[in-house]
Amino acid sequence: MQTDSISETRIGLNALRDQLRKPRSQLKGRQTTPEARAEVQGLIGLPPLDGHRRDLLIEHLHVLNDHFHGLFERHIVALAAEMRLPVVEVFEVASFYHHFDILKDDEVAPSITVRVCDSLSCTLAGSNALLRQLQNELLNVKVVPVPCLGRCEQAPAVQVGQQAVAQATVAAVTQRVTAQQTAPNPLPEAIRFDAYQRAGGYQLALQVAAGLKHHESVIQCLESSGLRGLGGAGFPAGRKWRIVRSQPGPRLMAVNIDEGEPGTFKDRTCLEADPHRFLEGVLIAASVVGCEAVYIYLRDEYHEARVLLTEELAALKLNPPCALPRIELRRGAGAYICGEESAMIESIEGKRGEPRLRPPYIAEVGLFGRPTLEHNFETLFWIRELLEQGADSFAAHGRHGRQGLRRFSVSGRVGQPGVKLAPAGITLRELVDEYCGGMAEGQTLYAYLPGGASGGILPARLADVPLDFDTLQPHGCFIGSAAVMVLGQDDSAREAALNVMKFFAHESCGQCTPCRVGTDKAAQLMAAQAWDADTLQDLAQVMGDASICGLGQAAPNPIRCVLDYFQHEVRGRA
């Protein structure tokens, strides 16, 4: 009996082994269908001989999302098959970005999505009430609150599909929805390629590329002018060019136009007016540093700018003034964290936009593992003017001991919001009085945010502090991208701080616990009538010390500022 039992067991194991050796009739997991695969191929094209490029995953997701008004599961599976990627990898990337709407196959995609900005400047202009009205009246479309749309001077800002609506009203939005008016607005005032070239454009880029203007002299001009990165970090531009140029080739370049900081809209405004001044700066930088390819990362909310830039890049490539590097325009997908340079690089590579641990720095190991020159749009926008007029001309501007010029994005309770080109070191009081037509009618200055959501909040009594790099730190703030949001006497600093903390909680990539948990917990504590100051201070300390990128490190600034300057708003009643 024992022998028979052993024999049966052996026979069973052998049969199992034989079964395992047989090829599967189909792969494990959900399989694509011929119909879904044909739909995907019809939109992204057949794969090249070496297959679809992995770094174009997000671009392909946009094509599907735009066409079907969402990402159906069947198309995610089919795209994974087309790109020879695991389905879970495609799903993980798609689910990271706010603008990709993942749908089950039996769901119905919304015909139109209406996005209503709920960031601070738009909230001050009544966007919360506008949102409620639109949700009550527009029953057949998707109406959702979204973080900053980058149109703070047009508050309240709304997008109907891909069309921006300035100073939005229920009537204006309803009219567009009824008319199915969802395409980006035209930009008739933009300076196009032919007009730019007739006015002397690209001559400087040609001189640099031909060696008629020595590369070393270009870098020396940047260093003498004191030009710094204008996206927030403020790293000296000339020094950055030297560092990347010293690295072994091939070198790459990444341009950050993911202008997602609430209160910031200067890059969009300049791009929509004069795209080739920026592109000439790109060509000069690429030539001097020796970058063989340039990747321009544009935030997805800027649909009008994307159409313009696509058209003008095509015109430039059709009639190049000099040898061009390879230039690719990449589309963000609604993730504020991708304004952080390493997160942007991850996104350009077609991945989740999660910041990298440093070192190594991206100047050494950046895009696709190569040394990378990363720049903000406005920094490059200045290059032609600096080289034509000279470093001394730029440095001659400034107030209160500061040098240079700055573009300030000003919104909130001022008479004339917008982008203001003003001397570096100007004070908030001077900026409002001289460039913004004073405070809005009936408004008295109460407080202001000098550097967007992450730059802190200061009271009116500190309105004479120079606005520049390094001048605001003693007061617990920083200039960042120079996004100035102004509050009036009926506004609340604590409500402003809560608004931006909710923004940080929404936009945290979730990679590190101090930021992911800290921003959410802070928002809960800040919603209380009386703040638990000790707990909030401890939380701020942990977030600042332990977060791996600038989002979590800067998120505590509004907490500290309210506790320092506006304690009367958060103190419990006796």
Side-chain angles (χ1 to χ4, degrees), residues 117-130 152 154-157 263 410-414 417 439-440 443 446-449 484-497 499-500:
C117 180
D118 66 359
S119 287
L120 181 56
S121 295
C122 286
T123 298
L124 295 176
S127 65
N128 289 339
L130 176 64
C152 315
Q154 302 172 2
V410 187
S411 61
R413 309 296 192 184
V414 296
M439 295 292 291
Q443 295 289 331
Y446 173 65
Y448 68 102
L449 290 76
V484 178
M485 295 184 279
V486 180
L487 307 183
Q489 75 278 3
D490 297 323
D491 299 319
S492 163
R494 64 168 287 156
E495 289 302 320
N499 180 283
V500 300

Short mmCIF file of all heavy atoms in Angstrom, two decimals, residues 117-130 152 154-157 263 410-414 417 439-440 443 446-449 484-497 499-500:
data_model
loop_
_atom_site.label_atom_id
_atom_site.label_comp_id
_atom_site.label_asym_id
_atom_site.label_seq_id
_atom_site.Cartn_x
_atom_site.Cartn_y
_atom_site.Cartn_z
N CYS A 117 -11.15 76.95 -11.12
CA CYS A 117 -9.99 77.12 -10.25
C CYS A 117 -10.43 77.45 -8.82
O CYS A 117 -11.26 78.33 -8.60
CB CYS A 117 -9.08 78.23 -10.78
SG CYS A 117 -7.61 78.51 -9.77
N ASP A 118 -9.84 76.73 -7.85
CA ASP A 118 -10.16 77.02 -6.45
C ASP A 118 -8.94 77.48 -5.66
O ASP A 118 -8.95 77.44 -4.44
CB ASP A 118 -10.81 75.80 -5.77
CG ASP A 118 -9.86 74.61 -5.65
OD1 ASP A 118 -8.70 74.70 -6.10
OD2 ASP A 118 -10.29 73.57 -5.09
N SER A 119 -7.89 77.93 -6.36
CA SER A 119 -6.73 78.46 -5.66
C SER A 119 -7.01 79.87 -5.15
O SER A 119 -8.06 80.45 -5.42
CB SER A 119 -5.50 78.43 -6.56
OG SER A 119 -5.06 77.09 -6.71
N LEU A 120 -6.05 80.44 -4.42
CA LEU A 120 -6.32 81.61 -3.59
C LEU A 120 -6.87 82.80 -4.37
O LEU A 120 -7.90 83.38 -3.99
CB LEU A 120 -5.05 82.01 -2.84
CG LEU A 120 -5.19 83.21 -1.90
CD1 LEU A 120 -6.29 82.98 -0.88
CD2 LEU A 120 -3.85 83.47 -1.19
N SER A 121 -6.21 83.22 -5.44
CA SER A 121 -6.66 84.42 -6.16
C SER A 121 -8.07 84.25 -6.71
O SER A 121 -8.88 85.18 -6.67
CB SER A 121 -5.69 84.76 -7.29
OG SER A 121 -4.43 85.11 -6.77
N CYS A 122 -8.38 83.05 -7.21
CA CYS A 122 -9.72 82.82 -7.75
C CYS A 122 -10.75 82.70 -6.63
O CYS A 122 -11.90 83.13 -6.79
CB CYS A 122 -9.72 81.57 -8.63
SG CYS A 122 -8.92 81.84 -10.24
N THR A 123 -10.34 82.15 -5.49
CA THR A 123 -11.24 82.10 -4.34
C THR A 123 -11.60 83.50 -3.88
O THR A 123 -12.77 83.78 -3.56
CB THR A 123 -10.58 81.31 -3.19
OG1 THR A 123 -10.35 79.97 -3.61
CG2 THR A 123 -11.47 81.29 -1.96
N LEU A 124 -10.61 84.39 -3.87
CA LEU A 124 -10.89 85.78 -3.50
C LEU A 124 -11.89 86.42 -4.46
O LEU A 124 -12.65 87.32 -4.07
CB LEU A 124 -9.59 86.60 -3.50
CG LEU A 124 -8.53 86.22 -2.46
CD1 LEU A 124 -7.27 87.07 -2.65
CD2 LEU A 124 -9.06 86.37 -1.04
N ALA A 125 -11.88 85.95 -5.71
CA ALA A 125 -12.77 86.52 -6.73
C ALA A 125 -14.11 85.79 -6.81
O ALA A 125 -14.89 86.05 -7.73
CB ALA A 125 -12.08 86.50 -8.09
N GLY A 126 -14.37 84.86 -5.89
CA GLY A 126 -15.69 84.23 -5.82
C GLY A 126 -15.82 82.92 -6.56
O GLY A 126 -16.93 82.51 -6.92
N SER A 127 -14.72 82.19 -6.77
CA SER A 127 -14.81 80.95 -7.54
C SER A 127 -15.60 79.86 -6.82
O SER A 127 -16.18 78.99 -7.48
CB SER A 127 -13.41 80.44 -7.88
OG SER A 127 -12.69 80.06 -6.72
N ASN A 128 -15.62 79.86 -5.50
CA ASN A 128 -16.38 78.82 -4.78
C ASN A 128 -17.87 78.92 -5.07
O ASN A 128 -18.55 77.91 -5.32
CB ASN A 128 -16.13 78.93 -3.27
CG ASN A 128 -14.73 78.49 -2.88
OD1 ASN A 128 -14.08 77.75 -3.62
ND2 ASN A 128 -14.26 78.94 -1.73
N ALA A 129 -18.40 80.14 -5.05
CA ALA A 129 -19.81 80.33 -5.37
C ALA A 129 -20.08 80.00 -6.83
O ALA A 129 -21.10 79.40 -7.18
CB ALA A 129 -20.22 81.78 -5.07
N LEU A 130 -19.13 80.37 -7.71
CA LEU A 130 -19.27 80.06 -9.13
C LEU A 130 -19.31 78.55 -9.35
O LEU A 130 -20.13 78.05 -10.12
CB LEU A 130 -18.11 80.69 -9.91
CG LEU A 130 -18.05 80.39 -11.41
CD1 LEU A 130 -19.27 80.96 -12.12
CD2 LEU A 130 -16.77 80.96 -12.01
N CYS A 152 -4.31 83.80 -12.77
CA CYS A 152 -4.73 84.48 -11.55
C CYS A 152 -5.15 85.93 -11.80
O CYS A 152 -5.96 86.48 -11.06
CB CYS A 152 -3.61 84.43 -10.51
SG CYS A 152 -2.85 82.81 -10.36
N GLN A 154 -6.87 86.80 -14.21
CA GLN A 154 -8.17 86.72 -14.86
C GLN A 154 -9.22 86.11 -13.94
O GLN A 154 -10.25 85.63 -14.40
CB GLN A 154 -8.05 85.88 -16.14
CG GLN A 154 -7.04 86.42 -17.14
CD GLN A 154 -6.80 85.47 -18.31
OE1 GLN A 154 -7.42 84.41 -18.41
NE2 GLN A 154 -5.91 85.86 -19.20
N ALA A 155 -8.97 86.12 -12.65
CA ALA A 155 -9.84 85.46 -11.68
C ALA A 155 -11.27 86.02 -11.71
O ALA A 155 -11.45 87.23 -11.89
CB ALA A 155 -9.25 85.61 -10.28
N PRO A 156 -12.27 85.11 -11.54
CA PRO A 156 -12.13 83.67 -11.41
C PRO A 156 -11.91 83.01 -12.77
O PRO A 156 -12.57 83.36 -13.75
CB PRO A 156 -13.46 83.24 -10.79
CG PRO A 156 -14.44 84.27 -11.27
CD PRO A 156 -13.68 85.55 -11.36
N ALA A 157 -10.99 82.05 -12.82
CA ALA A 157 -10.62 81.40 -14.07
C ALA A 157 -11.30 80.04 -14.18
O ALA A 157 -11.42 79.31 -13.20
CB ALA A 157 -9.10 81.23 -14.14
N GLY A 263 -0.65 81.64 -8.09
CA GLY A 263 -0.28 83.05 -8.17
C GLY A 263 0.67 83.37 -9.30
O GLY A 263 0.92 84.54 -9.59
N VAL A 410 1.19 89.61 -10.34
CA VAL A 410 0.45 90.24 -9.24
C VAL A 410 -1.05 89.97 -9.40
O VAL A 410 -1.63 90.20 -10.47
CB VAL A 410 0.70 91.76 -9.19
CG1 VAL A 410 0.04 92.36 -7.94
CG2 VAL A 410 2.20 92.07 -9.22
N SER A 411 -1.67 89.47 -8.35
CA SER A 411 -3.11 89.20 -8.36
C SER A 411 -3.69 89.49 -6.99
O SER A 411 -2.97 89.84 -6.05
CB SER A 411 -3.36 87.73 -8.75
OG SER A 411 -2.77 86.86 -7.80
N GLY A 412 -4.99 89.35 -6.90
CA GLY A 412 -5.65 89.64 -5.63
C GLY A 412 -6.28 91.01 -5.61
O GLY A 412 -6.75 91.51 -6.65
N ARG A 413 -6.25 91.68 -4.45
CA ARG A 413 -7.01 92.92 -4.25
C ARG A 413 -6.26 94.16 -4.73
O ARG A 413 -6.05 95.11 -3.98
CB ARG A 413 -7.33 93.08 -2.77
CG ARG A 413 -7.97 91.88 -2.09
CD ARG A 413 -9.32 91.54 -2.66
NE ARG A 413 -10.03 90.58 -1.81
CZ ARG A 413 -11.19 90.05 -2.10
NH1 ARG A 413 -11.80 90.38 -3.23
NH2 ARG A 413 -11.76 89.18 -1.28
N VAL A 414 -5.85 94.15 -6.01
CA VAL A 414 -5.19 95.32 -6.57
C VAL A 414 -6.02 95.84 -7.73
O VAL A 414 -6.83 95.12 -8.32
CB VAL A 414 -3.76 94.98 -7.05
CG1 VAL A 414 -2.89 94.58 -5.86
CG2 VAL A 414 -3.75 93.90 -8.11
N PRO A 417 -4.30 93.94 -11.81
CA PRO A 417 -3.46 92.74 -11.72
C PRO A 417 -2.80 92.44 -13.06
O PRO A 417 -3.24 92.92 -14.10
CB PRO A 417 -4.46 91.66 -11.32
CG PRO A 417 -5.78 92.15 -11.83
CD PRO A 417 -5.74 93.65 -11.70
N MET A 439 -4.48 99.78 -4.62
CA MET A 439 -5.40 98.73 -4.19
C MET A 439 -6.72 98.86 -4.95
O MET A 439 -7.08 99.94 -5.42
CB MET A 439 -5.63 98.81 -2.70
CG MET A 439 -4.41 98.55 -1.85
SD MET A 439 -3.84 96.83 -1.93
CE MET A 439 -5.16 95.97 -1.05
N ALA A 440 -7.43 97.76 -5.07
CA ALA A 440 -8.75 97.80 -5.70
C ALA A 440 -9.67 98.72 -4.91
O ALA A 440 -9.46 98.96 -3.71
CB ALA A 440 -9.32 96.39 -5.78
N GLN A 443 -10.59 98.69 -1.02
CA GLN A 443 -9.69 97.73 -0.36
C GLN A 443 -8.52 98.45 0.31
O GLN A 443 -7.96 99.40 -0.24
CB GLN A 443 -9.15 96.72 -1.37
CG GLN A 443 -10.21 95.81 -1.97
CD GLN A 443 -10.75 94.81 -0.98
OE1 GLN A 443 -10.05 94.39 -0.05
NE2 GLN A 443 -12.00 94.42 -1.17
N TYR A 446 -3.97 94.44 3.76
CA TYR A 446 -3.94 93.72 5.03
C TYR A 446 -2.74 92.77 5.12
O TYR A 446 -2.05 92.70 6.14
CB TYR A 446 -5.24 92.94 5.21
CG TYR A 446 -5.25 92.02 6.42
CD1 TYR A 446 -5.18 92.55 7.72
CD2 TYR A 446 -5.31 90.64 6.28
CE1 TYR A 446 -5.18 91.72 8.83
CE2 TYR A 446 -5.32 89.80 7.38
CZ TYR A 446 -5.25 90.35 8.66
OH TYR A 446 -5.25 89.51 9.76
N ALA A 447 -2.49 92.04 4.02
CA ALA A 447 -1.41 91.06 4.01
C ALA A 447 -1.07 90.74 2.56
O ALA A 447 -1.80 91.12 1.64
CB ALA A 447 -1.82 89.79 4.76
N TYR A 448 0.04 90.03 2.38
CA TYR A 448 0.40 89.62 1.02
C TYR A 448 1.28 88.39 1.06
O TYR A 448 2.00 88.13 2.02
CB TYR A 448 1.09 90.75 0.26
CG TYR A 448 2.46 91.15 0.77
CD1 TYR A 448 3.63 90.73 0.11
CD2 TYR A 448 2.61 91.96 1.89
CE1 TYR A 448 4.89 91.11 0.56
CE2 TYR A 448 3.86 92.34 2.35
CZ TYR A 448 4.99 91.91 1.68
OH TYR A 448 6.25 92.28 2.14
N LEU A 449 1.20 87.61 -0.03
CA LEU A 449 2.06 86.45 -0.23
C LEU A 449 3.09 86.84 -1.27
O LEU A 449 2.74 87.07 -2.43
CB LEU A 449 1.25 85.24 -0.72
CG LEU A 449 0.30 84.59 0.30
CD1 LEU A 449 -0.98 85.42 0.49
CD2 LEU A 449 -0.07 83.17 -0.14
N VAL A 484 2.98 87.40 -6.50
CA VAL A 484 2.53 88.25 -5.41
C VAL A 484 1.00 88.24 -5.36
O VAL A 484 0.34 88.67 -6.31
CB VAL A 484 3.05 89.69 -5.58
CG1 VAL A 484 2.54 90.58 -4.45
CG2 VAL A 484 4.58 89.70 -5.62
N MET A 485 0.45 87.76 -4.25
CA MET A 485 -1.00 87.76 -4.06
C MET A 485 -1.35 88.67 -2.89
O MET A 485 -0.79 88.51 -1.79
CB MET A 485 -1.50 86.33 -3.81
CG MET A 485 -1.30 85.43 -5.02
SD MET A 485 -1.98 83.75 -4.82
CE MET A 485 -0.70 82.97 -3.86
N VAL A 486 -2.23 89.62 -3.13
CA VAL A 486 -2.50 90.70 -2.18
C VAL A 486 -3.86 90.51 -1.52
O VAL A 486 -4.87 90.27 -2.20
CB VAL A 486 -2.44 92.06 -2.90
CG1 VAL A 486 -2.72 93.20 -1.92
CG2 VAL A 486 -1.07 92.26 -3.56
N LEU A 487 -3.89 90.60 -0.19
CA LEU A 487 -5.13 90.47 0.57
C LEU A 487 -5.57 91.82 1.09
O LEU A 487 -4.74 92.67 1.45
CB LEU A 487 -4.92 89.52 1.75
CG LEU A 487 -4.36 88.12 1.46
CD1 LEU A 487 -4.29 87.30 2.75
CD2 LEU A 487 -5.17 87.41 0.40
N GLY A 488 -6.90 92.01 1.17
CA GLY A 488 -7.47 93.23 1.69
C GLY A 488 -7.98 93.08 3.11
O GLY A 488 -7.86 92.01 3.72
N GLN A 489 -8.55 94.15 3.62
CA GLN A 489 -8.91 94.21 5.04
C GLN A 489 -10.00 93.21 5.42
O GLN A 489 -10.13 92.84 6.59
CB GLN A 489 -9.36 95.63 5.42
CG GLN A 489 -10.75 96.04 4.93
CD GLN A 489 -10.74 96.51 3.48
OE1 GLN A 489 -9.72 96.47 2.82
NE2 GLN A 489 -11.90 96.97 3.00
N ASP A 490 -10.78 92.74 4.47
CA ASP A 490 -11.84 91.78 4.79
C ASP A 490 -11.40 90.34 4.58
O ASP A 490 -12.20 89.41 4.79
CB ASP A 490 -13.08 92.07 3.93
CG ASP A 490 -13.67 93.44 4.24
OD1 ASP A 490 -13.65 93.82 5.42
OD2 ASP A 490 -14.13 94.11 3.29
N ASP A 491 -10.17 90.14 4.18
CA ASP A 491 -9.66 88.80 3.94
C ASP A 491 -8.99 88.25 5.19
O ASP A 491 -8.67 88.99 6.12
CB ASP A 491 -8.67 88.79 2.77
CG ASP A 491 -9.32 89.25 1.47
OD1 ASP A 491 -10.47 88.85 1.21
OD2 ASP A 491 -8.67 90.02 0.72
N SER A 492 -8.74 86.96 5.19
CA SER A 492 -8.17 86.29 6.35
C SER A 492 -6.87 85.60 5.97
O SER A 492 -6.83 84.82 5.01
CB SER A 492 -9.17 85.25 6.89
OG SER A 492 -8.54 84.33 7.74
N ALA A 493 -5.82 85.86 6.73
CA ALA A 493 -4.54 85.20 6.49
C ALA A 493 -4.64 83.71 6.81
O ALA A 493 -4.05 82.88 6.11
CB ALA A 493 -3.44 85.85 7.33
N ARG A 494 -5.38 83.36 7.83
CA ARG A 494 -5.52 81.94 8.17
C ARG A 494 -6.26 81.19 7.08
O ARG A 494 -5.92 80.05 6.76
CB ARG A 494 -6.22 81.75 9.51
CG ARG A 494 -7.65 82.25 9.57
CD ARG A 494 -8.40 81.78 10.81
NE ARG A 494 -8.71 80.36 10.71
CZ ARG A 494 -8.92 79.57 11.74
NH1 ARG A 494 -8.83 80.04 12.97
NH2 ARG A 494 -9.21 78.29 11.56
N GLU A 495 -7.27 81.81 6.49
CA GLU A 495 -8.00 81.16 5.39
C GLU A 495 -7.11 81.03 4.16
O GLU A 495 -7.18 80.04 3.43
CB GLU A 495 -9.27 81.93 5.05
CG GLU A 495 -10.35 81.84 6.12
CD GLU A 495 -10.77 80.40 6.38
OE1 GLU A 495 -10.89 79.62 5.40
OE2 GLU A 495 -10.99 80.04 7.56
N ALA A 496 -6.27 82.05 3.93
CA ALA A 496 -5.32 81.96 2.83
C ALA A 496 -4.33 80.82 3.06
O ALA A 496 -4.02 80.05 2.15
CB ALA A 496 -4.57 83.28 2.67
N ALA A 497 -3.83 80.70 4.28
CA ALA A 497 -2.90 79.62 4.62
C ALA A 497 -3.55 78.25 4.48
O ALA A 497 -2.94 77.30 3.99
CB ALA A 497 -2.37 79.81 6.04
N ASN A 499 -6.05 77.52 2.50
CA ASN A 499 -6.24 77.29 1.06
C ASN A 499 -4.98 76.71 0.43
O ASN A 499 -5.04 75.72 -0.31
CB ASN A 499 -6.63 78.61 0.37
CG ASN A 499 -6.83 78.46 -1.13
OD1 ASN A 499 -5.88 78.37 -1.90
ND2 ASN A 499 -8.08 78.45 -1.56
N VAL A 500 -3.83 77.31 0.72
CA VAL A 500 -2.60 76.82 0.09
C VAL A 500 -2.17 75.47 0.68
O VAL A 500 -1.58 74.64 -0.03
CB VAL A 500 -1.46 77.86 0.17
CG1 VAL A 500 -1.87 79.15 -0.53
CG2 VAL A 500 -1.05 78.15 1.58
#
